[in-house]
Amino acid sequence: MKNIFTYEWKLFIRNKTMPATWLLMFGIGLYALYYGRSFSDTQLDTITKIDTAYQARIQTQLQRFSADTTTKEGMSDYRNVHDAYMNEWYTRPMVWKQPEGLQALSLGQSDNQPFYYNLWIYNNVYNTRQPELRNPDKLLAGNFDLSFVIIYLLPLLIIAYSYNVVSADRENGLAGLLNVQGVSQRAIVSGRLLFRCCTVLVLALLLSIIGIIINGVAMGAAAGWLGVNVLYILFWFSLVYWLTASGQSGAVTAVKLVSLWVVLLIMIPSLFNSLQKINEDAKMEIAEASREYGGKIWDMDKQLLADTFLLVKPEWKEYFILKNDTNDLRSVAYTYFTVYNMNRVGRGIDSAALQQQSRLERFNYVNPVFATQLLYNKLAATELNNFIVFREAASAYQQQRYELIAQKELSGEKLTPASFQAYPKFVQPVTGLTAGDWFRSMIPVMCFMLIALLLGNYYWKNNAHKK
Amino acid sequence: MVHALEAIELTKKYDTATALDRLTLSIQPGEIFCLLGQNGAGKTTTINLFLGFTQASSGKAFIKGMEVLPGASDTKKFVAYIPEVVQLYGSLNGIENLDFFSRLAGFKYTDTMLKGFLNKAGLQEEAHSKRLSTYSKGMRQKVGIAIALAKNADVILMDEPTSGLDPKATAEFTAICKELAAEGKAIFMATHDLFNAVNVGTRIGIMKQGNLVHTLFTKDITANELQDLYLETI
């Protein structure tokens, strides 16, 4: 094996095309890292701007607690800031999904899903305008991040390096001389494939380590990412081992490998997409839900509204003093019913999306390539699940603030600087993967790899004399 | 006595065509057996069967008393092979090619020893460090001989080794073969070169359509007589 590695290295270096292709792919990988980093930096800049503006609004509100009440404007500020509902109106709290370090390596749904929400009292996270697509072609080709380079492009490099690992000797008239040296052809081919596998692994791991360092990725996630790299590349080499074992010509093997690439990376995902039923009316349903209660509530008799509200929120009876003007009750009730209704519809839509995601995960048991892509996204917390979990956390946080404000509003309690500053803070949902999750996600890759190796062994055993 | 090479009723059929028909033959150490015949007579098939590259339809082949089985993993260590056209790695030089094939065969030689094999095969010293892509056919053939020498095999199978070589290279090649035979190596050579067969061989066989029609000792025949016999036979 050492001899084969020594001479494979010499042949690799002296064949100008191979190192040039390696360097080209390395350059492409560096660009993908730059692309991912640039996307993440844009998000981080946006988050910084949002945070700065939000903190400024909080400071403004805090200053209004000591506004000059001798002026008309100061009096208005003073009155509004002590009113929990109006204070929330002006504070307009913001929450955002803090990007993980690995996001820059696997953008996943980061450009399709909102990563921050304005939790203004009448806003609803399920009715938030999604960010504009930076490039519609992305929908077809995916983001040009490192996961794209590894998932889509490295298999092409593997095919280019290895399609003729068996046939080249025969086609170059070397097979006879090699076969008579006493080492089995299978041992020579396995050694060569292992060497070529190492060159691709070095490429993938080097790029990943650069990405991990410049993006400050945590150790656990980094180890998970590197492990996926290794298994995915081994999976492709196991396919090469299988398809080259039949001893057919290099051209035939290349066609077979490229066909497999097309099936795994284009046909099967396309088939899955075509089987999906997309709810095109989802946005409309949320808009309708937001309008459903509006007019009814504002026109409803005060006592009837109170009774109706207490039917769904009886635990708030103790706050129900009704000493304030009717607008307090109407505002609270309107917000409660519309937000509740939109949340109900929105959660239903997200639930359907999660079911679709669950189907996709099951479907990927027959497609190890996209099982790998899914795991990359999970490690980078850029999978659809991550955004839905964030959306639910944002919604729950908005609800938590709303209930606090509504209680103060209904009980007539004035807001103070201390109680304002004691408002609950948004907690980023934890979406880390366990080692068990990682292993389960890699089962399709490992199973297919094992099958390919067994088939390869079978063909080697049965076709040895044909090579 | 253990024969260096032995075939007993060795037959190879491809569908309905018989490439080799019940060949029975034995070759002793120190013998150079030259097999003559037209294209398609079964010379290369015979060599491939001894090398284990193809499976016999019936009969048996032996090398140093060991049966050649498919894959021939046990008998390969006794055999060296020089094909008609020696193709090697173009981006490696002569020494590197020789080192690579020797290591595959389980031998690790120093540079000096490798150069010694190349010199013995007749490759000029200044060519040793040049890439194979710059070599002529004759030079590549010499590296092929060096690979066989480095393997130190008891049996050397050659498939038209002088085809395309100039007279000087052929003469050098003949000298090496005789030297190897003198060391006790058995050489089995398929060739079209009647005159060289008489010159280098100790025994000659003439094949026609898969059958070994004649075997004779070179000491009993001249080149012209062999030519007449050959033309009569085919």
Side-chain angles (χ1 to χ4, degrees):
Chain A
M1 193 61 76
K2 189 185 162 198
N3 297 335
I4 292 170
F5 263 58
T6 306
Y7 278 96
E8 275 291 299
W9 171 248
K10 285 185 181 180
L11 291 167
F12 178 82
I13 288 296
R14 292 180 192 174
N15 177 344
K16 292 187 180 103
T17 313
M18 301 274 255
T21 315
W22 193 96
L23 285 171
L24 174 71
M25 201 57 79
F26 185 70
I28 289 171
L30 288 178
Y31 171 72
L33 287 176
Y34 164 77
Y35 181 96
R37 179 64 193 236
S38 143
F39 182 91
S40 280
D41 281 349
T42 307
Q43 279 202 350
L44 288 168
D45 282 350
T46 307
I47 288 169
T48 305
K49 283 175 191 158
I50 288 168
D51 190 26
T52 305
Y54 178 35
Q55 296 307 324
R57 287 198 296 276
I58 290 172
Q59 289 308 312
T60 304
Q61 288 304 93
L62 284 170
Q63 284 163 13
R64 282 174 177 169
F65 280 108
S66 50
D68 179 5
T69 53
T70 58
T71 65
K72 191 182 171 187
E73 192 181 298
M75 178 54 86
S76 170
D77 286 347
Y78 186 83
R79 205 166 37 231
N80 283 338
V81 81
H82 283 85
D83 182 308
Y85 204 90
M86 290 307 292
N87 180 67
E88 190 73 352
W89 182 285
Y90 286 111
T91 304
R92 297 197 304 278
M94 302 293 296
V95 293
W96 53 87
K97 181 178 176 297
Q98 194 65 37
E100 301 279 341
L102 276 177
Q103 176 181 290
L105 276 66
S106 186
L107 295 174
Q109 302 244 3
S110 305
D111 64 339
N112 282 327
Q113 295 291 327
F115 65 101
Y116 66 89
Y117 291 109
N118 178 343
L119 299 183
W120 184 58
I121 203 148
Y122 286 151
N123 273 357
N124 183 272
V125 296
Y126 298 102
N127 198 23
T128 305
R129 189 176 68 88
Q130 295 194 355
E132 295 291 337
L133 289 173
R134 285 164 40 148
N135 178 356
D137 277 349
K138 284 182 192 169
L139 289 176
L140 185 68
N143 283 296
F144 204 96
D145 53 21
L146 189 60
S147 72
F148 173 81
V149 172
I150 293 172
I151 295 280
Y152 279 81
L153 302 186
L154 284 194
L156 292 176
L157 182 70
I158 291 169
I159 292 170
Y161 272 5
S162 310
Y163 74 97
N164 62 352
V165 70
V166 173
S167 59
D169 287 332
R170 191 180 59 233
E171 285 160 7
N172 294 329
L174 275 157
L177 208 50
L178 278 171
N179 282 350
V180 86
Q181 296 309 312
V183 178
S184 74
Q185 191 191 11
R186 183 172 164 184
I188 295 172
V189 168
S190 300
R192 284 177 177 164
L193 278 180
L194 207 56
F195 173 83
R196 291 167 202 203
C197 183
C198 287
T199 62
V200 179
L201 271 176
V202 166
L203 176 67
L205 294 179
L206 192 60
L207 286 168
S208 294
I209 289 167
I210 293 170
I212 284 164
I213 291 170
I214 61 175
N215 292 292
V217 179
M219 285 292 276
W225 178 275
L226 297 175
V228 178
N229 285 354
V230 173
L231 277 180
Y232 184 68
I233 288 165
L234 287 177
F235 160 73
W236 272 99
F237 271 99
S238 68
L239 294 181
V240 172
Y241 178 72
W242 164 37
L243 291 178
T244 53
S246 61
Q248 287 171 303
S249 72
V252 170
T253 309
V255 168
K256 281 184 179 177
L257 283 165
V258 171
S259 302
L260 202 57
W261 183 90
V262 171
V263 168
L264 291 174
L265 285 143
I266 298 178
M267 286 304 295
I268 295 181
S270 166
L271 177 67
F272 178 79
N273 288 341
S274 71
L275 293 174
Q276 297 311 298
K277 288 177 185 163
I278 305 297
N279 184 3
E280 300 285 357
D281 300 330
K283 283 277 170 190
M284 193 63 79
E285 285 172 28
I286 291 185
E288 281 170 7
S290 73
R291 286 194 292 268
E292 190 176 345
Y293 290 92
K296 289 181 197 167
I297 289 165
W298 291 112
D299 297 340
M300 208 180 271
D301 171 73
K302 181 180 173 183
Q303 190 56 52
L304 182 60
L305 176 61
D307 293 344
T308 308
F309 190 65
L310 283 173
L311 275 177
V312 294
K313 214 65 181 160
E315 67 273 23
W316 283 10
K317 191 168 185 182
E318 59 179 298
Y319 306 117
F320 243 86
I321 298 171
L322 293 180
K323 65 181 179 183
N324 300 317
D325 63 56
T326 49
N327 279 343
D328 290 344
L329 172 61
R330 290 185 198 287
S331 299
V332 169
Y334 174 79
T335 310
Y336 179 82
F337 282 120
T338 51
V339 169
Y340 173 83
N341 207 30
M342 287 162 76
N343 283 349
R344 181 179 56 76
V345 176
R347 282 177 189 141
I349 293 166
D350 273 355
S351 168
L354 285 173
Q355 282 173 15
Q356 185 188 43
Q357 190 70 8
S358 174
R359 283 197 297 277
L360 177 68
E361 292 206 23
R362 284 199 299 276
F363 193 79
N364 279 338
Y365 270 93
V366 298
N367 188 4
V369 169
F370 271 69
T372 308
Q373 176 69 74
L374 211 57
L375 182 55
Y376 275 142
N377 291 352
K378 281 179 181 175
L379 284 164
T382 56
E383 189 44 59
L384 181 65
N385 268 352
N386 301 113
F387 288 94
I388 289 178
V389 166
F390 164 64
R391 184 150 55 227
E392 283 174 357
S395 176
Y397 178 62
Q398 187 183 33
Q399 187 76 14
Q400 189 185 15
R401 284 184 76 115
Y402 160 77
E403 296 204 355
L404 197 67
I405 291 155
Q407 286 166 16
K408 290 184 191 301
E409 190 75 359
L410 293 172
S411 65
E413 181 191 328
K414 294 292 177 196
L415 195 65
T416 64
S419 57
F420 176 52
Q421 286 177 301
Y423 271 5
K425 302 278 183 278
F426 178 69
V427 180
Q428 291 281 339
V430 178
T431 52
L433 276 184
T434 65
D437 295 334
W438 185 97
F439 185 79
R440 271 190 295 281
S441 300
M442 280 279 97
I443 284 175
V445 178
M446 291 187 277
C447 286
F448 275 82
M449 189 161 70
L450 189 65
I451 291 167
L453 289 174
L454 289 173
L455 284 169
N457 278 341
Y458 172 81
Y459 281 113
W460 268 109
K461 202 174 166 185
N462 288 284
N463 294 323
H465 61 285
K466 293 181 187 169
K467 299 185 194 79
Chain B
M1 180 188 175
V2 177
H3 305 296
L5 273 175
E6 188 178 16
I8 300 173
E9 297 283 308
L10 193 60
T11 303
K12 178 67 185 176
K13 290 181 179 174
Y14 296 103
D15 297 325
T16 53
T18 303
L20 189 66
D21 193 8
R22 290 169 291 150
L23 173 72
T24 297
L25 173 74
S26 61
I27 297 163
Q28 312 310 321
E31 197 174 2
I32 301 176
F33 188 96
C34 296
L35 191 60
L36 301 170
Q38 279 188 299
N39 291 332
K43 302 187 296 296
T44 301
T45 300
T46 307
I47 288 178
N48 285 343
L49 285 164
F50 276 121
L51 289 170
F53 290 174
T54 185
Q55 206 170 347
S57 306
S58 63
K60 288 180 178 179
F62 297 89
I63 290 176
K64 291 193 74 176
M66 290 178 73
E67 187 178 353
V68 179
L69 298 170
S73 53
D74 293 332
T75 48
K76 273 178 186 170
K77 58 178 176 282
F78 302 120
V79 181
Y81 170 57
I82 301 174
E84 179 183 356
V85 180
V86 176
Q87 295 288 8
L88 299 162
Y89 293 103
S91 52
L92 301 180
N93 63 36
I95 297 171
E96 287 170 335
N97 267 291
L98 177 57
D99 183 45
F100 174 66
F101 282 95
S102 300
R103 282 170 187 254
L104 284 184
F107 299 96
K108 195 177 173 188
Y109 296 113
T110 61
D111 266 15
T112 313
M113 293 162 89
L114 293 168
K115 285 176 182 172
F117 289 120
L118 290 170
N119 285 333
K120 191 175 178 185
L123 188 70
Q124 292 166 324
E125 191 109 23
E126 56 268 27
H128 291 185
S129 303
K130 288 185 178 166
R131 291 196 181 182
L132 257 287
S133 53
T134 63
Y135 279 28
S136 66
K137 188 189 173 196
M139 290 163 83
R140 277 187 276 122
Q141 206 73 3
K142 285 171 183 172
V143 179
I145 295 165
I147 290 170
L149 293 173
K151 196 175 177 188
N152 194 28
D154 294 325
V155 177
I156 303 173
L157 297 164
M158 304 176 174
D159 194 359
E160 301 180 23
T162 55
S163 158
L165 291 188
D166 62 47
K168 184 171 180 283
T170 304
E172 286 170 356
F173 179 76
T174 302
I176 292 168
C177 287
K178 285 181 174 172
E179 199 176 321
L180 289 170
E183 289 170 13
K185 317 284 186 199
I187 297 176
F188 182 90
M189 183 193 301
T191 182
H192 289 294
D193 188 345
L194 275 62
F195 294 95
N196 193 49
V198 173
N199 186 21
V200 71
T202 53
R203 202 150 51 112
I204 287 174
I206 301 175
M207 285 195 96
K208 183 184 177 185
Q209 294 174 346
N211 292 291
L212 185 62
V213 181
H214 298 288
T215 52
L216 53 154
F217 288 97
T218 49
K219 61 182 170 57
D220 300 334
I221 195 166
T222 64
N224 287 336
E225 288 166 349
L226 177 63
Q227 188 176 21
D228 292 341
L229 179 65
Y230 180 77
L231 291 172
E232 260 174 44
T233 307
I234 62 166

